[in-house]
């Protein structure tokens, strides 16, 4: 008898959370709050955005986002440029420093994961992970 979707979800969620924690530990960007990390990740994935766009996307008040943005600007992790269509607005984007740090961190996380997959799993198990990865991508994109 196969497991129900609810049983799989209850088992999968903590495993994914633990794996995510282990990956984050491999390539952190300094001592950042979760809000700051979320903003940097959103800018890396989605490109430049205004503080109001970021606040909406993160589900926080614009005043809270202003505090997060100010801290990131102070650390040199984001830069602001005038919005091309509305000069009253500022477009925020990752700084070169943040892009370089993200690239190094991503490589460190991928190296760690490749090492663990190679050390812990058999060839057959790695093939199963490859298949499961495609299935999880479909779930994530749905």
């Amino acid at each position: 008898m196969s497991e129900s979707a609810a049983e799989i979800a209850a088992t999968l969620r903590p495993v994914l959370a633990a794996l995510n924690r282990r990956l984050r530990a491999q390539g952190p960007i300094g001592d950042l709050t979760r809000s700051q990390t979320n903003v940097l990740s959103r800018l890396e994935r989605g490109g430049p955005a205004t503080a109001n766009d970021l606040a909406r996307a993160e589900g926080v008040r614009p005043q809270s986002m202003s505090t997060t943005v100010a801290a990131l600007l102070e650390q040199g992790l984001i830069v602001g440029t005038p919005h091309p269509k509305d000069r009253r607005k500022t477009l925020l984007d990752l700084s070169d420093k943040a892009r370089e740090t993200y690239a190094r961190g991503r490589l460190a996380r991928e190296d760690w994961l490749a090492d663990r997959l190679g050390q812990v799993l058999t060839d057959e198990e790695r093939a199963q992970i490859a298949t499961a990865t495609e299935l999880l991508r479909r779930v994530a994109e749905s």
Side-chain angles (χ1 to χ4, degrees), residues 11-26:
T11 303
L12 181 60
R13 186 197 52 76
V15 170
L16 291 176
L19 181 58
N20 194 31
R21 281 191 301 276
R22 293 291 303 268
L23 286 168
R24 278 197 314 260
Q26 302 310 309

Side-chain angles (χ1 to χ4, degrees), residues 119-138:
Q119 294 291 325
V120 175
L121 303 178
T122 66
D123 289 344
E124 182 180 316
E125 289 169 328
R126 284 192 299 275
Q128 291 173 350
I129 291 290
T131 299
T133 299
E134 289 306 313
L135 298 173
L136 289 170
R137 182 189 328 275
R138 282 181 28 208

Side-chain angles (χ1 to χ4, degrees), residues 29 35 76 110 122:
I29 298 183
S35 297
E110 287 175 9
T122 66

Side-chain angles (χ1 to χ4, degrees), residues 4 11 16 31 39 45 51 56 83 93 103 112 118 125-126 133-134:
S4 72
T11 303
L16 291 176
D31 189 23
V39 166
R45 286 188 319 270
R56 244 186 327 278
H83 193 287
D93 200 3
W112 176 85
E125 289 169 328
R126 284 192 299 275
T133 299
E134 289 306 313

Side-chain angles (χ1 to χ4, degrees), residues 27-29 40 44 76-77 94-109:
I29 298 183
L40 291 174
E44 186 204 22
L77 295 172
L94 294 179
S95 67
D96 289 342
K97 172 184 173 182
R99 287 185 195 288
E100 181 180 314
T101 303
Y102 258 100
R104 278 196 321 270
R106 184 178 299 107
L107 290 174
R109 288 185 294 275

